[in-house]
Amino acid sequence: MDEQPVIIIGAGPAGLAVAAQLRQAAIPFVMLEKGAYIAQSWHNHYDRLKLHTVRELSHLPDMPFPAHYPRYVPKDLLIQYYEAYALHFDIQPIFGVEVIDIDKDGDTWVVAAADGTSWRTKQVVVCAGMNRLPFRPHYQYEEDFTGELLHSSEYKNAQPYKGKRVLVVGMGNSGAEIALDLCSNQVDTYLSVRGPVNIVPHEILGRPTQLTALKLAKLPHWLGDRIGLWVRHWTMGDLPQLGIPLPAIAPARQLRETGQTPVIDLGTVARIRSGEIRVLPGIEHFTNDGVLCTNGEEYSFDTVIFATGFKAQLSDWLHLDSEHFDERGLPRTISGQGPYEGLFFLGYNNYAPGGGLGIIRNDVGELMKAVVVARQKE
């Protein structure tokens, strides 16, 4: 069994941020990555994806994006940046390692892989990401559907769906953007919206909404939330008439209390208003050639794309309790406590404004302090 000072699980943005800090602190580590590439999940995303957050607030620690990068960095340039970051800080993951268990043995942790390899260490930094595993609900009679079913993680671009009728299930950020991509490429597009959705514009009068949200977060919550509701009404107020109910709470409050990010509208709402994207309610069950919706109406489709999100699913590796992990199975703190001492988590805090990448950059300093303290106790 190989023994290492620190094990990092995941070679995505969070793992890279931790590795760079450890490298600069001269603390040895081993990074384990299930995929074949740096930032594997970004390689798998759909082609048109760009960061919804601004360039100056989305880079990793100690290495800003190149000056020629656009304000909203596209997927391909982001991958190039992550690869350059790994090269700059001499980060060399062990690829193709699927972690299947993290267990305590005395005062050390044992990280076990699917191929039988194990590592023993005092500190494990879990950076496998919020989107580790695709999640999709299952519906009655879906096995009878003669069309194509897929998760949004399998979607790349609109080309395979030309001339088809497509239903996108779920209006989160991925669902809204995939529907926009399909519609923009003349695909007959429908969007199933089951419940209330907080939607905000990408920019307001040329100013990124992200920057506005960070300003509002500095105000007392009651005031920031009231302004947020007013802005939402001003920019998106007629959505309930289009079949998209709006929640009673402000976008910022929803983020603080549930960790659910509001939808950043990139143009989907305009296509809905124009009738180019048709909004349907939730699905009751599938039929042979489509779905029966909760409004009692049947619709036929060639393809159904489930944009229903992802799960971190840390319970695959750890026995979770409700004291240290929330109802979604996410860690309540960066540094594990009690039976989880020696475990650290980065990339699982989504209760703050500013975007996931900015939160990683802000949180990695706190994580490093905790790692150093833990090593001093050894």
Side-chain angles (χ1 to χ4, degrees), residues 66-350:
H68 68 275
Y69 272 33
R71 178 161 230 184
Y72 302 105
V73 180
K75 164 189 164 180
D76 290 347
L77 288 181
L78 190 64
I79 291 171
Q80 291 178 27
Y81 167 79
Y82 289 145
E83 291 172 343
Y85 192 88
L87 184 65
H88 179 77
F89 290 104
D90 189 28
I91 302 169
Q92 301 178 35
I94 303 176
F95 293 108
V97 176
E98 180 182 0
V99 172
I100 59 172
D101 188 58
I102 305 172
D103 200 10
K104 199 72 174 284
D105 181 20
D107 63 347
T108 62
W109 289 94
V110 177
V111 178
D115 65 359
T117 308
S118 295
W119 292 263
R120 184 181 291 273
T121 182
K122 293 291 183 66
Q123 283 96 35
V124 180
V125 188
V126 181
C127 303
M130 297 280 292
N131 298 343
R132 189 172 73 89
L133 295 176
F135 167 78
R136 85 163 181 87
H138 291 277
Y139 293 88
Q140 191 175 22
Y141 310 134
E142 69 176 57
E143 66 277 5
D144 298 329
F145 179 58
T146 56
E148 178 187 19
L149 300 176
L150 68 151
H151 188 268
S152 60
S153 59
E154 302 171 84
Y155 177 87
K156 298 303 177 186
N157 55 59
Q159 187 59 40
Y161 309 101
K162 295 288 185 69
K164 295 184 178 181
R165 200 180 199 200
V166 180
L167 173 65
V168 180
V169 179
M171 195 179 179
N173 278 297
S174 293
E177 189 163 0
I178 288 172
L180 177 62
D181 192 40
L182 291 165
C183 176
S184 300
N185 287 279
Q186 293 75 54
V187 175
D188 189 10
T189 307
Y190 291 69
L191 187 57
S192 172
V193 181
R194 184 178 61 180
V197 182
N198 251 319
I199 307 176
V200 297
H202 195 209
E203 295 186 345
I204 301 173
L205 302 176
R207 178 180 174 81
T209 299
Q210 177 195 14
L211 300 182
T212 301
L214 290 170
K215 290 280 188 183
L216 292 178
K218 296 178 181 179
L219 298 174
H221 288 333
W222 69 267
L223 179 58
D225 290 347
R226 184 171 295 181
I227 294 173
L229 283 171
W230 178 82
V231 170
R232 190 188 70 183
H233 177 75
W234 173 47
T235 57
M236 302 287 170
D238 65 338
L239 291 187
Q241 301 173 30
L242 302 173
I244 304 174
L246 296 172
I249 64 173
R253 181 180 172 188
Q254 175 182 284
L255 181 63
R256 287 194 311 271
E257 295 182 357
T258 71
Q260 185 177 350
T261 304
V263 174
I264 309 296
D265 178 46
L266 304 177
T268 305
V269 170
R271 300 287 183 144
I272 291 171
R273 288 195 178 109
S274 69
E276 295 170 90
I277 297 175
R278 287 189 57 187
V279 174
L280 302 181
I283 296 173
E284 184 67 35
H285 64 71
F286 273 78
T287 64
N288 186 256
D289 65 349
V291 298
L292 173 71
C293 287
T294 54
N295 62 0
E297 296 185 10
E298 291 189 21
Y299 302 87
S300 61
F301 295 103
D302 300 293
T303 301
V304 177
I305 301 173
F306 290 97
T308 46
F310 298 80
K311 288 189 174 182
Q313 204 72 22
L314 295 178
S315 58
D316 288 351
W317 301 338
L318 294 163
H319 300 290
L320 309 184
D321 65 27
S322 58
E323 179 182 355
H324 301 91
F325 295 84
D326 66 18
E327 62 277 1
R328 296 178 297 163
L330 300 180
R332 297 185 187 276
T333 60
I334 286 175
S335 179
Q337 306 296 320
Y340 306 100
E341 186 175 356
L343 294 182
F344 304 88
F345 305 89
L346 189 66
Y348 299 96
N349 173 14
N350 64 336

